[in-house]
Amino acid sequence: MSSLTPSLACGHWRLINREQVLDMAMGDTEFLAELIELFFGCVSQQMQEIKRAIEENASLELSEAAHACKGTVGNYTKLEPYLLLQSLENDGKSDQIEESQGKYCLLEKEMAQLTLEIKALMDQECHNAQSSHEHVG
Amino acid sequence: MKILVVDDVGYTCHFHTRLIEKFGYSACSATSGFEALNYLKTDNDISIVVTDLMMRGMDGVDLFQEAQNLERFTDEGELDPPQFVLMTALRMQKNSTDKDVQRLKLAKELGVAKIMFKPLDQDELEQTLKDMAMGAPTAAGKSLDLFTPTQSLKEVVKEIIDSGNAGAAEQFIECLNEEVSGLQKFLSKLETV
């Protein structure tokens, strides 16, 4: 199976470090849910901005949009999506955006994987929280 | 006392603001340096600013400099400028351009109290804010910068330990004890009043 096909083997996270993400939310499931909801809202808009900047050959806009998206994604992973965003940011900064379209296509696939993993993590945490609540009750 | 979080990346701004609230502080947020300045002009409760370095328009260093020149008054007199924590994702050896590195160097030269690298170490941020809050203005009186001397003190202690110099450690403890006793006398005087 290609590594770019969004997939999630049981208990296997390719992009996110489960412990780090939970630490980010201080182990608070409600806070995690709030952050993840915000993440999805921000990232879809930032991806649109990157796409538009590439289509319009706007280097400055590309570097700014990729920088912003990198800041958001960096809270969850420092792997492929983050590295691609860093590369797109550098493309924009150096005004060399010939290869940016190709990188964007890869980025879309990596973001699909990241989304899958974050959603799975959230489902798992909600389930755990519910189970422990029932157990206490 | 209130903490202002400034970041032009909406997610990061919201995340850090909520994190600081979870530490138990009152926090507000701005998504640009200009918006932050307006907050500082109108809200005298803000005594600490946690800002990103790289932002469109006015960056964190510009904001720091503008904040130093801002005149803020209360009924008790002029307020000190807020203390700053500067956040950056910059890694000197990797993707940083000369300009980014220069801005970070300038921040250090200008005396920004604390520079932290993203993703922030939450424990370090909490401790930094706690230390800074010790010197924040209170209803009892004017603010004191306790953060800078506290940091220096920690550095000296670390230096002594690293050097393995037992004599220096004993001498320094003696010196600290004298100062602690001075503070204790001051506090007991206050209690008797």
Side-chain angles (χ1 to χ4, degrees):
Chain A
M1 187 190 292
S2 158
S3 66
L4 290 178
T5 306
S7 64
L8 189 66
C10 185
H12 174 74
W13 313 92
R14 180 165 70 83
L15 296 176
I16 61 173
N17 179 323
R18 182 177 173 278
E19 300 305 320
Q20 271 177 16
V21 174
L22 294 179
D23 279 353
M24 176 182 74
M26 302 167 82
D28 180 338
T29 310
E30 279 182 28
F31 187 31
L32 181 66
E34 179 187 331
L35 292 175
I36 287 176
E37 193 181 332
L38 183 71
F39 172 84
F40 288 133
C42 288
V43 154
S44 62
Q45 191 187 337
Q46 287 164 343
M47 287 292 282
Q48 285 300 319
E49 286 171 13
I50 294 171
K51 189 179 180 188
R52 196 180 315 124
I54 294 171
E55 283 168 357
E56 294 171 3
N57 280 324
S59 300
L60 179 63
E61 283 76 4
L62 173 61
S63 88
E64 288 180 349
H67 175 76
C69 194
K70 187 184 77 175
T72 306
V73 167
N75 289 287
Y76 294 85
T77 183
K78 286 285 189 290
L79 300 176
E80 281 86 348
Y82 183 87
L83 298 173
L84 281 165
L85 285 162
Q86 195 165 58
S87 180
L88 284 167
E89 181 186 352
N90 289 341
D91 285 354
K93 276 184 182 170
S94 57
D95 197 15
Q96 291 179 330
I97 59 176
E98 300 80 17
E99 295 176 9
S100 300
Q101 183 59 54
K103 289 177 190 173
Y104 179 79
C105 291
L106 285 176
L107 178 64
E108 275 189 319
K109 288 171 183 163
E110 290 293 344
M111 290 301 279
Q113 173 68 25
L114 182 61
T115 301
L116 190 73
E117 292 190 14
I118 290 175
K119 279 183 177 163
L121 176 71
M122 192 60 236
D123 288 346
Q124 199 179 71
E125 287 310 306
C126 284
H127 177 75
N128 290 347
Q130 207 172 4
S131 300
S132 68
H133 182 70
E134 281 168 6
H135 183 70
V136 169
Chain B
M1 192 207 74
K2 200 185 278 179
I3 298 171
L4 172 63
V5 177
V6 194
D7 201 315
D8 62 350
V9 177
Y11 177 89
T12 316
C13 190
H14 180 90
F15 168 47
H16 288 136
T17 306
R18 292 283 288 115
L19 190 64
I20 286 167
E21 283 173 348
K22 280 192 159 285
F23 292 156
Y25 299 102
S26 172
C28 55
S29 62
T31 51
S32 74
F34 300 105
E35 193 188 348
L37 264 187
N38 281 333
Y39 265 115
L40 289 172
K41 282 175 191 167
T42 54
D43 192 340
N44 285 339
D45 280 347
I46 298 169
S47 51
I48 299 172
V49 178
V50 178
T51 181
D52 189 30
L53 169 65
M54 289 167 68
M55 294 188 289
R56 299 170 221 195
M58 181 187 292
D59 72 5
V61 178
D62 290 331
L63 175 61
F64 173 76
Q65 286 179 298
E66 291 287 340
Q68 306 311 301
N69 300 324
L70 210 58
E71 291 180 337
R72 302 198 298 164
F73 293 95
T74 63
D75 292 342
E76 284 81 35
E78 192 173 352
L79 272 179
D80 285 338
Q83 300 178 86
F84 268 69
V85 177
L86 193 67
M87 307 177 284
T88 178
L90 196 64
R91 293 290 180 269
M92 295 282 199
Q93 63 276 41
K94 279 188 182 169
N95 62 328
S96 48
T97 64
D98 283 349
K99 190 190 158 221
D100 298 334
V101 176
Q102 292 307 319
R103 297 304 282 173
L104 194 55
K105 279 184 183 165
L106 180 61
K108 286 180 183 169
E109 285 164 15
L110 289 172
V112 171
K114 178 81 178 174
I115 294 172
M116 294 186 73
F117 293 92
K118 291 183 188 175
L120 301 188
D121 179 325
Q122 293 184 3
D123 293 337
E124 189 187 357
L125 177 64
E126 189 174 13
Q127 186 59 48
T128 298
L129 295 176
K130 193 177 162 193
D131 291 345
M132 284 182 164
M134 287 196 306
T138 65
K142 199 171 166 13
S143 70
L144 286 173
D145 174 15
L146 296 182
F147 181 73
T148 311
T150 307
Q151 291 302 108
S152 308
L153 186 67
K154 285 178 180 172
E155 278 168 26
V156 172
V157 170
K158 189 177 178 301
E159 210 174 307
I160 292 174
I161 293 170
D162 290 346
S163 72
N165 187 336
E170 279 170 13
Q171 211 176 331
F172 198 61
I173 288 172
E174 210 173 294
C175 174
L176 285 175
N177 283 338
E178 273 177 36
E179 300 310 315
V180 169
S181 129
L183 284 172
Q184 279 168 341
K185 275 181 198 163
F186 163 70
L187 287 176
S188 49
K189 258 188 201 171
L190 282 183
E191 278 167 16
T192 52
V193 172

